[in-house]
């Protein structure tokens, strides 16, 4: 039952939930949030910088959901925002990664917030385009003789997965041995 409440909370950065979705400085932006019908006592639009909370008002309801809305006037600085939903049993934050229960006096995480920069517009050619990022250090090392391990240990590059490049190359032989041992066991 409680998971249903969390799953019903939704917003994104499309025109339906942020209008206009790419505002200019001085524009009034309407931001919306959907919650399960009759589940919220109070809904706040939480702006990270400068830190403030704007009370959102229920603007419509249907059989399943209530829709809350707030408006703000954009300046030229980047705006990061999340939602705080006060329910009878707990307080919930809704961020880009979804809904989560907040501990007492905890605030939404700015790193997980929705954001936009007034005046920035995605070029028409990029809208809906699929883009690839190629990380060449993740391919098979075809020639170990041309590896510059000194550079990796001096300029440690830490990847989001927690493994930096110097550890990758240092532990590569260990991983290869483990894989070959696993392969032998499967064949037996």
């Amino acid at each position: 039952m409680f998971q249903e409440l969390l799953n019903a909370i939704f917003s994104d950065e499309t025109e339906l939930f942020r209008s206009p979705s790419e505002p200019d400085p001085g524009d009034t932006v309407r931001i919306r949030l959907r919650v399960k019908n009759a589940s919220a006592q109070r809904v706040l639009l939480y702006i990270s910088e400068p830190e403030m909370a704007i009370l959102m008002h229920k603007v419509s309801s249907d059989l399943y959901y209530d829709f809350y809305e707030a408006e703000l006037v954009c300046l030229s600085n980047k705006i990061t925002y999340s939602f705080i939903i006060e329910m009878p049993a707990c307080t919930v934050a809704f961020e880009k990664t979804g809904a989560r229960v907040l501990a007492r006096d905890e605030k939404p995480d700015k790193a997980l917030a929705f954001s936009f920069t007034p005046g920035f517009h995605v070029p028409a050619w990029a809208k809906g385009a699929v883009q690839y990022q190629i990380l060449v250090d993740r391919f098979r090392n075809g020639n170990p003789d041309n590896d510059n391990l000194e550079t990796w240990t001096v300029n440690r590059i830490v990847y989001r997965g927690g493994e930096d490049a110097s550890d990758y190359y240092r532990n590569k032989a260990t991983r290869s041995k483990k894989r070959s041992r696993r392969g032998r066991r499967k064949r037996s």
Side-chain angles (χ1 to χ4, degrees), residues 75-94:
L75 301 175
S76 58
N77 55 322
K78 181 178 180 178
I79 297 172
T80 57
Y81 66 93
S82 303
F83 303 93
I84 298 174
I85 303 102
E86 295 175 359
M87 298 180 165
C90 63
T91 301
V92 173
F94 185 78

Side-chain angles (χ1 to χ4, degrees), residues 76-117:
S76 58
N77 55 322
K78 181 178 180 178
I79 297 172
T80 57
Y81 66 93
S82 303
F83 303 93
I84 298 174
I85 303 102
E86 295 175 359
M87 298 180 165
C90 63
T91 301
V92 173
F94 185 78
E95 301 149 327
K96 268 190 167 183
T97 54
R100 67 183 177 91
V101 177
L102 291 174
R104 186 181 184 128
D105 298 326
E106 182 185 8
K107 295 177 182 160
D109 188 342
K110 182 181 175 186
L112 304 176
F114 296 94
S115 67
F116 64 92
T117 303

Side-chain angles (χ1 to χ4, degrees), residues 24-129:
D24 288 315
D27 284 353
T28 299
V29 179
R30 181 181 310 118
I31 298 176
R32 299 181 115 199
L33 178 75
R34 180 193 78 189
V35 299
K36 186 170 170 57
N37 208 341
S39 64
Q41 293 176 320
R42 189 166 81 142
V43 178
L44 301 169
L45 176 64
Y46 176 77
I47 310 293
S48 301
E49 288 181 21
E51 187 178 341
M52 69 171 115
I54 300 169
L55 182 65
M56 298 184 78
H57 300 282
K58 189 191 306 185
V59 292
S60 66
S61 293
D62 63 22
L63 187 60
Y64 302 104
Y65 305 111
D66 292 335
F67 294 87
Y68 286 82
E69 189 175 281
E71 291 184 345
L72 59 105
V73 177
C74 298
L75 301 175
S76 58
N77 55 322
K78 181 178 180 178
I79 297 172
T80 57
Y81 66 93
S82 303
F83 303 93
I84 298 174
I85 303 102
E86 295 175 359
M87 298 180 165
C90 63
T91 301
V92 173
F94 185 78
E95 301 149 327
K96 268 190 167 183
T97 54
R100 67 183 177 91
V101 177
L102 291 174
R104 186 181 184 128
D105 298 326
E106 182 185 8
K107 295 177 182 160
D109 188 342
K110 182 181 175 186
L112 304 176
F114 296 94
S115 67
F116 64 92
T117 303
F120 174 79
H121 300 281
V122 175
W125 63 267
K127 290 184 180 180

Side-chain angles (χ1 to χ4, degrees), residues 101-169:
V101 177
L102 291 174
R104 186 181 184 128
D105 298 326
E106 182 185 8
K107 295 177 182 160
D109 188 342
K110 182 181 175 186
L112 304 176
F114 296 94
S115 67
F116 64 92
T117 303
F120 174 79
H121 300 281
V122 175
W125 63 267
K127 290 184 180 180
V130 175
Q131 298 179 9
Y132 294 94
Q133 182 177 10
I134 299 173
L135 304 170
V136 294
D137 68 307
R138 304 299 168 94
F139 289 97
R140 182 178 179 280
N141 188 359
N143 184 358
D145 295 333
N146 68 4
D147 290 352
N148 185 355
L149 296 178
E150 223 172 278
T151 306
W152 291 108
T153 56
V154 173
N155 303 319
R156 292 178 67 92
I157 300 171
V158 179
Y159 295 97
R160 190 171 180 104
E163 175 177 70
D164 72 32
S166 59
D167 289 341
Y168 173 81
Y169 285 110

